[in-house]
Amino acid sequence: MLPKLVSNSWTEAILPSQLPEVLDYRCEIWQLYSVTSCGSPWVLSRESRTPNSGTRNPAFVTVVHLILFYENRLKDHHLVIPSVLQGLKALSLCVALPPGLAVSVLKAIFQEVHVQSLPQVDRHTVYNIITNFMRTREEELKGLGADFTFGFIQVMDGEKDPRNLLVAFHIVHDLISRDYSLGPFVEELFEVTSCYFPIDFTPPPNDPYGIQREDLILSLRSVLASTPRFAEFLLPLLIEKVDSEILSAKLDSLQTLNACCAVYGQKELKDFLPSLWASIRREVFQTASERVEAEGLAALHSLTVCLSRSVLSADAEDLLDSFLSNILQDCRHHLCEPDMKLVWPSAKLLQAAAGASARACDCITSNVLPLLLEQFHKHSQSSQRRTILEMLLGFLKLQEKWSYEDKDQRPLNGFKDQLCSMVFMALTGPSTQLQLVGIHTLTVLGAQPDLLSSEDLELAVGHLYRLSFLEEDSQSCRVAALEASGTLAALYPVAFSSHLVPKLAEELRVGESDLTRGDGPTQCSQHLCCLQALSAISTHPSIVRETLPLLLQHLCQVNKGNMVARSSDVIAVCQSLKQVAEKCQQDPDCCWYFHQTAIPCLLALAVQASMPEKEPSVMRKVLLEDEVLAAMVSVIGTATTHLSPELAAQSVTHIVPLFLDGNVSFLPENSFPSRFQPFQDDSSGQRRLVALLMAFVCSLPRNVEIPQLNQLMRELLELSCCHSCPFSSTAAAKCFAGLLNKHPAGQQLDEFLQLAMDKVEAGLGSGPCRGQAFTLLLWVTKALVLRYHPLSSCLTTRLMGLLSDPELGPAAADGFSLLMSDCTDVLTRAGHAEVRIMFRQRFFTDNVPALVQGFHAAPQDVKPNYLKGLSHVLNRLPKPVLLPELPTLLSLLLEALSCPDCVVQLSTLSCLQPLLLEAPQVMSLHVDTLVTKFLNLSSSPSMAVRIAALQCMHALTRLPTPVLLPYKPQVIRALAKPLDDKKRLVRKEAVSARGEWFLLGSPGS
């Protein structure tokens, strides 16, 4: 075949599609190492032309003649060039290509082909040939020296197609990064690429290639910023573009400068620093674009970093000092004008430079701090002082980036007393905003190691104590003081234990006496502030060992009947305990201390309160209220979730026997008047404490073995269908479901499920326990849905069947909300439940078709139940999953808006609002119905529905304007009514929505 190929004219050239078959068979049987220097004298180097006594390699000879053939065809008529290039592209992929042929091919292309006169596809082929050879024949191509670079410059010069430019930019980047010789063609290579800067490209609509403007920008930037040798040409170009009026050019230039600083040194930047600083300063001072300002600050930061890291010779000029001097000279005087508009741009420029290195930070801080301290005392207005303190806070934060081996080297040491005096003055000022900045500044100063003295800390603690008890009108300041107390307490536990904890303990005792006397709301507010402060400072294990006993002792006063306690007081203590438990989770020892101290105490108080009394005490029964028990559940759950399996196993051997056997030996003060038997006792008080058992066992790690599990599950199952106490039965059902979810698959799990199903079916039949049986069904279904158990589909089908039940139908519809939502007390990931990823998507796929089918087949009086269930499912489904199904489900959602149930309306509106933003084209088809229904619901009796409807009216303005314009007069008239709504939040949404409709269709909207 080869002789025929070579001897025939170019019209009989081998097709590119046939070339791989020709080459693969020949080349696969010859290894590259067996190829000797016996190639063609026309294409091989001088050394390769030396005669060899070995036998010529047939595959070698074939490839050589193919290359020779294609090179000669490049000189023929231009119509044959595309086919020749395809053949050469196939050859460039050949692994066993003989040495020298890659160079020969590229020389032929450079000499014989005017690449830019070819169609885009053929130019792309040329770039691919070069890319392939650069990947496989790098050393050979480097042997060409600068000729290869010059040849590629000729190939690329004038390229305009973005598809080809992406490949060409990649080739240029490889030329530079792989150390190809550029020779005298550095400027030519820069010119052939920089002519595209800045990129001005808008992809056509429905572009099948998916090339975005950002792709070209990043690709070109990687070329321009790849070598310092471009600096003398690139930096003037960047300065010119930054000074232009085109926003995109400014942004691209500043970002490119930022990238260049990573590879440039002082040598490259030296001659351009004044111009660069002038351009950046002008953009930050004068720009109206926040993006340009941010990029300008980032570029200044990078320039300073570059100047800071350069290694100087002994006689070299230190450009960093002179550069920083220029910045200080141009910005420093603006800091003396806190009311002028250039004060903040100047501060930002100085902070951007100071954040670049320790040297820069020291230089700028030592110049700026004295000035700001002087200005703070010079100005007396709170607004001016706040501005000055905010600027100073920015410089102080930069100090945290750098560490100093010698404490005396830190620039803040010389200003410590002045800084503390200024901060304390701000904390005692009349302005809440000034106090807020002062609190943040105090926190930053405290974070500096060994900066504050013990006297400074005592004063700081005193100020934070005072600010933690501010009135309601200074809520933001009080919250900031609590947060600062927690931060500083972790750094200075001794100071807070010595000066703050005793004050809070005394305040708590005063609060107890006030509650005993039944004093008014002011004392209650002080009592609440004290509890919040105790929990806020519990950020160090040593402090927790002081605050936790105080909180528990305070809670014990309720049980002893010494206080006129309300449920809100007990809940406040429990909330503080929960916050302490959350702070202990990061330290295993502290977490275990909290658990073994707080949990027995809470259980003892609850057990004591549940005991029968001859004279019932209202104060002790507060602990058994639903809200109080729920607060205690959150404390126990939080204290258990982060226990190690070993420690959790120790705790479970005490708590489970407490509920099953009444073993109270591990509880403090365990002398109770009667036995604790929550599963046998007829008293609802003891049964209600099953919620505390649920909080503990449902928060344990999955690999912790629970003693007497079989008995516990049966007792929970029995209690879950007890109708005398709905709170207890629900807690038992949730506890049973939580244990089912974590139980490993096997025979025992199947037995528990069978027992549950028998109990559910028996309870759903008839009688007073139908509601409890339904609750059990619902929680067991959720437990199985989360873990993808096979039985979950059967239970979901059973739940759908109850939608037609006259008594349980509405509750079954609301049950779909529970199945799709996240719980807070059981079946949570934090509580180690088995929650599979995308369980909502799977539930949607498996059950929504059945819900839709059931809706169409259901009687008219039952349809609202199906709509409510469907609305709950869709409302909690991730929107990317819902969007493809929207055309088929939208009609049902619109029908749900006509349902009289406010829950259905609110759920459906919450589902539709994001869809209006994310699927405007689909929603536009139903705009008439949407406008009508939303306007009707804006007059709903429910405030939440009115607000949601007005939010949807606002979201409607994101639909295509031509679709909405016919409705504009009607909507503006209708939205005038909610402007007079009696609720402020409704009026606020009405103003926002009506304003958007007024602007609809106006220029620039």
PDB file of all heavy atoms in Angstrom, residues 401-415:
ATOM      1  N   LYS A 401      -2.255  39.276  62.511  1.00  0.00           N
ATOM      2  CA  LYS A 401      -1.676  38.451  61.445  1.00  0.00           C
ATOM      3  C   LYS A 401      -0.216  38.122  61.689  1.00  0.00           C
ATOM      4  O   LYS A 401       0.304  37.158  61.123  1.00  0.00           O
ATOM      5  CB  LYS A 401      -1.813  39.153  60.094  1.00  0.00           C
ATOM      6  CG  LYS A 401      -3.234  39.403  59.648  1.00  0.00           C
ATOM      7  CD  LYS A 401      -3.282  40.169  58.344  1.00  0.00           C
ATOM      8  CE  LYS A 401      -2.619  39.422  57.206  1.00  0.00           C
ATOM      9  NZ  LYS A 401      -2.769  40.127  55.907  1.00  0.00           N
ATOM     10  N   TRP A 402       0.459  38.913  62.529  1.00  0.00           N
ATOM     11  CA  TRP A 402       1.907  38.768  62.658  1.00  0.00           C
ATOM     12  C   TRP A 402       2.271  38.404  64.088  1.00  0.00           C
ATOM     13  O   TRP A 402       1.684  38.880  65.050  1.00  0.00           O
ATOM     14  CB  TRP A 402       2.613  40.073  62.261  1.00  0.00           C
ATOM     15  CG  TRP A 402       2.004  40.722  61.074  1.00  0.00           C
ATOM     16  CD1 TRP A 402       1.327  41.895  61.022  1.00  0.00           C
ATOM     17  CD2 TRP A 402       1.973  40.201  59.738  1.00  0.00           C
ATOM     18  NE1 TRP A 402       0.880  42.158  59.764  1.00  0.00           N
ATOM     19  CE2 TRP A 402       1.263  41.118  58.935  1.00  0.00           C
ATOM     20  CE3 TRP A 402       2.488  39.059  59.135  1.00  0.00           C
ATOM     21  CZ2 TRP A 402       1.051  40.939  57.585  1.00  0.00           C
ATOM     22  CZ3 TRP A 402       2.274  38.868  57.781  1.00  0.00           C
ATOM     23  CH2 TRP A 402       1.576  39.797  57.032  1.00  0.00           C
ATOM     24  N   SER A 403       3.239  37.537  64.210  1.00  0.00           N
ATOM     25  CA  SER A 403       3.739  37.137  65.529  1.00  0.00           C
ATOM     26  C   SER A 403       5.141  37.718  65.733  1.00  0.00           C
ATOM     27  O   SER A 403       5.920  37.860  64.781  1.00  0.00           O
ATOM     28  CB  SER A 403       3.792  35.611  65.646  1.00  0.00           C
ATOM     29  OG  SER A 403       4.628  35.059  64.643  1.00  0.00           O
ATOM     30  N   TYR A 404       5.436  38.027  66.979  1.00  0.00           N
ATOM     31  CA  TYR A 404       6.718  38.645  67.316  1.00  0.00           C
ATOM     32  C   TYR A 404       7.390  37.807  68.402  1.00  0.00           C
ATOM     33  O   TYR A 404       6.816  37.572  69.475  1.00  0.00           O
ATOM     34  CB  TYR A 404       6.520  40.071  67.822  1.00  0.00           C
ATOM     35  CG  TYR A 404       5.896  41.001  66.810  1.00  0.00           C
ATOM     36  CD1 TYR A 404       4.514  41.094  66.683  1.00  0.00           C
ATOM     37  CD2 TYR A 404       6.678  41.777  65.968  1.00  0.00           C
ATOM     38  CE1 TYR A 404       3.928  41.943  65.754  1.00  0.00           C
ATOM     39  CE2 TYR A 404       6.114  42.634  65.037  1.00  0.00           C
ATOM     40  CZ  TYR A 404       4.741  42.705  64.933  1.00  0.00           C
ATOM     41  OH  TYR A 404       4.162  43.533  64.013  1.00  0.00           O
ATOM     42  N   GLU A 405       8.607  37.345  68.107  1.00  0.00           N
ATOM     43  CA  GLU A 405       9.337  36.568  69.105  1.00  0.00           C
ATOM     44  C   GLU A 405       9.719  37.448  70.295  1.00  0.00           C
ATOM     45  O   GLU A 405       9.653  37.013  71.447  1.00  0.00           O
ATOM     46  CB  GLU A 405      10.591  35.953  68.471  1.00  0.00           C
ATOM     47  CG  GLU A 405      10.287  34.939  67.366  1.00  0.00           C
ATOM     48  CD  GLU A 405      11.538  34.344  66.785  1.00  0.00           C
ATOM     49  OE1 GLU A 405      12.633  34.717  67.264  1.00  0.00           O
ATOM     50  OE2 GLU A 405      11.427  33.509  65.865  1.00  0.00           O
ATOM     51  N   ASP A 406      10.110  38.659  70.036  1.00  0.00           N
ATOM     52  CA  ASP A 406      10.465  39.589  71.100  1.00  0.00           C
ATOM     53  C   ASP A 406       9.269  40.500  71.366  1.00  0.00           C
ATOM     54  O   ASP A 406       8.807  41.235  70.491  1.00  0.00           O
ATOM     55  CB  ASP A 406      11.675  40.429  70.674  1.00  0.00           C
ATOM     56  CG  ASP A 406      12.190  41.299  71.814  1.00  0.00           C
ATOM     57  OD1 ASP A 406      11.537  41.316  72.884  1.00  0.00           O
ATOM     58  OD2 ASP A 406      13.224  41.954  71.635  1.00  0.00           O
ATOM     59  N   LYS A 407       8.745  40.434  72.579  1.00  0.00           N
ATOM     60  CA  LYS A 407       7.556  41.212  72.912  1.00  0.00           C
ATOM     61  C   LYS A 407       7.797  42.703  72.756  1.00  0.00           C
ATOM     62  O   LYS A 407       6.881  43.470  72.419  1.00  0.00           O
ATOM     63  CB  LYS A 407       7.117  40.909  74.346  1.00  0.00           C
ATOM     64  CG  LYS A 407       6.756  39.445  74.584  1.00  0.00           C
ATOM     65  CD  LYS A 407       6.411  39.217  76.043  1.00  0.00           C
ATOM     66  CE  LYS A 407       6.131  37.731  76.299  1.00  0.00           C
ATOM     67  NZ  LYS A 407       5.836  37.477  77.736  1.00  0.00           N
ATOM     68  N   ASP A 408       9.024  43.144  72.994  1.00  0.00           N
ATOM     69  CA  ASP A 408       9.316  44.569  72.919  1.00  0.00           C
ATOM     70  C   ASP A 408       9.282  45.105  71.493  1.00  0.00           C
ATOM     71  O   ASP A 408       9.248  46.320  71.285  1.00  0.00           O
ATOM     72  CB  ASP A 408      10.691  44.856  73.531  1.00  0.00           C
ATOM     73  CG  ASP A 408      10.740  44.514  75.018  1.00  0.00           C
ATOM     74  OD1 ASP A 408       9.666  44.583  75.663  1.00  0.00           O
ATOM     75  OD2 ASP A 408      11.826  44.160  75.520  1.00  0.00           O
ATOM     76  N   GLN A 409       9.284  44.198  70.508  1.00  0.00           N
ATOM     77  CA  GLN A 409       9.267  44.634  69.108  1.00  0.00           C
ATOM     78  C   GLN A 409       7.869  45.018  68.642  1.00  0.00           C
ATOM     79  O   GLN A 409       7.717  45.656  67.605  1.00  0.00           O
ATOM     80  CB  GLN A 409       9.809  43.516  68.208  1.00  0.00           C
ATOM     81  CG  GLN A 409      11.295  43.244  68.382  1.00  0.00           C
ATOM     82  CD  GLN A 409      11.775  42.131  67.441  1.00  0.00           C
ATOM     83  OE1 GLN A 409      10.971  41.463  66.795  1.00  0.00           O
ATOM     84  NE2 GLN A 409      13.082  41.950  67.385  1.00  0.00           N
ATOM     85  N   ARG A 410       6.861  44.631  69.392  1.00  0.00           N
ATOM     86  CA  ARG A 410       5.505  44.892  68.933  1.00  0.00           C
ATOM     87  C   ARG A 410       5.204  46.385  68.961  1.00  0.00           C
ATOM     88  O   ARG A 410       5.436  47.057  69.980  1.00  0.00           O
ATOM     89  CB  ARG A 410       4.496  44.152  69.807  1.00  0.00           C
ATOM     90  CG  ARG A 410       4.539  42.655  69.620  1.00  0.00           C
ATOM     91  CD  ARG A 410       3.492  41.956  70.434  1.00  0.00           C
ATOM     92  NE  ARG A 410       3.533  42.338  71.847  1.00  0.00           N
ATOM     93  CZ  ARG A 410       2.845  41.718  72.787  1.00  0.00           C
ATOM     94  NH1 ARG A 410       2.076  40.694  72.462  1.00  0.00           N
ATOM     95  NH2 ARG A 410       2.919  42.113  74.046  1.00  0.00           N
ATOM     96  N   PRO A 411       4.675  46.917  67.863  1.00  0.00           N
ATOM     97  CA  PRO A 411       4.430  48.373  67.812  1.00  0.00           C
ATOM     98  C   PRO A 411       3.356  48.838  68.783  1.00  0.00           C
ATOM     99  O   PRO A 411       3.302  50.021  69.121  1.00  0.00           O
ATOM    100  CB  PRO A 411       4.018  48.608  66.353  1.00  0.00           C
ATOM    101  CG  PRO A 411       3.537  47.277  65.865  1.00  0.00           C
ATOM    102  CD  PRO A 411       4.336  46.246  66.597  1.00  0.00           C
ATOM    103  N   LEU A 412       2.464  47.933  69.227  1.00  0.00           N
ATOM    104  CA  LEU A 412       1.378  48.353  70.113  1.00  0.00           C
ATOM    105  C   LEU A 412       1.848  48.597  71.541  1.00  0.00           C
ATOM    106  O   LEU A 412       1.146  49.257  72.320  1.00  0.00           O
ATOM    107  CB  LEU A 412       0.263  47.294  70.121  1.00  0.00           C
ATOM    108  CG  LEU A 412      -0.522  47.093  68.836  1.00  0.00           C
ATOM    109  CD1 LEU A 412      -1.656  46.113  69.057  1.00  0.00           C
ATOM    110  CD2 LEU A 412      -1.079  48.411  68.328  1.00  0.00           C
ATOM    111  N   ASN A 413       2.982  48.030  71.920  1.00  0.00           N
ATOM    112  CA  ASN A 413       3.414  48.150  73.310  1.00  0.00           C
ATOM    113  C   ASN A 413       3.564  49.607  73.742  1.00  0.00           C
ATOM    114  O   ASN A 413       3.206  49.975  74.872  1.00  0.00           O
ATOM    115  CB  ASN A 413       4.746  47.414  73.513  1.00  0.00           C
ATOM    116  CG  ASN A 413       4.554  45.912  73.578  1.00  0.00           C
ATOM    117  OD1 ASN A 413       3.431  45.441  73.619  1.00  0.00           O
ATOM    118  ND2 ASN A 413       5.644  45.170  73.591  1.00  0.00           N
ATOM    119  N   GLY A 414       4.062  50.431  72.864  1.00  0.00           N
ATOM    120  CA  GLY A 414       4.274  51.826  73.230  1.00  0.00           C
ATOM    121  C   GLY A 414       2.992  52.631  73.337  1.00  0.00           C
ATOM    122  O   GLY A 414       3.006  53.744  73.881  1.00  0.00           O
ATOM    123  N   PHE A 415       1.900  52.095  72.804  1.00  0.00           N
ATOM    124  CA  PHE A 415       0.631  52.830  72.818  1.00  0.00           C
ATOM    125  C   PHE A 415      -0.412  52.157  73.709  1.00  0.00           C
ATOM    126  O   PHE A 415      -1.573  52.549  73.691  1.00  0.00           O
ATOM    127  CB  PHE A 415       0.064  52.935  71.393  1.00  0.00           C
ATOM    128  CG  PHE A 415       1.014  53.538  70.404  1.00  0.00           C
ATOM    129  CD1 PHE A 415       1.732  52.734  69.527  1.00  0.00           C
ATOM    130  CD2 PHE A 415       1.210  54.905  70.354  1.00  0.00           C
ATOM    131  CE1 PHE A 415       2.604  53.281  68.610  1.00  0.00           C
ATOM    132  CE2 PHE A 415       2.085  55.457  69.435  1.00  0.00           C
ATOM    133  CZ  PHE A 415       2.788  54.653  68.560  1.00  0.00           C
TER     134      PHE A 415
END
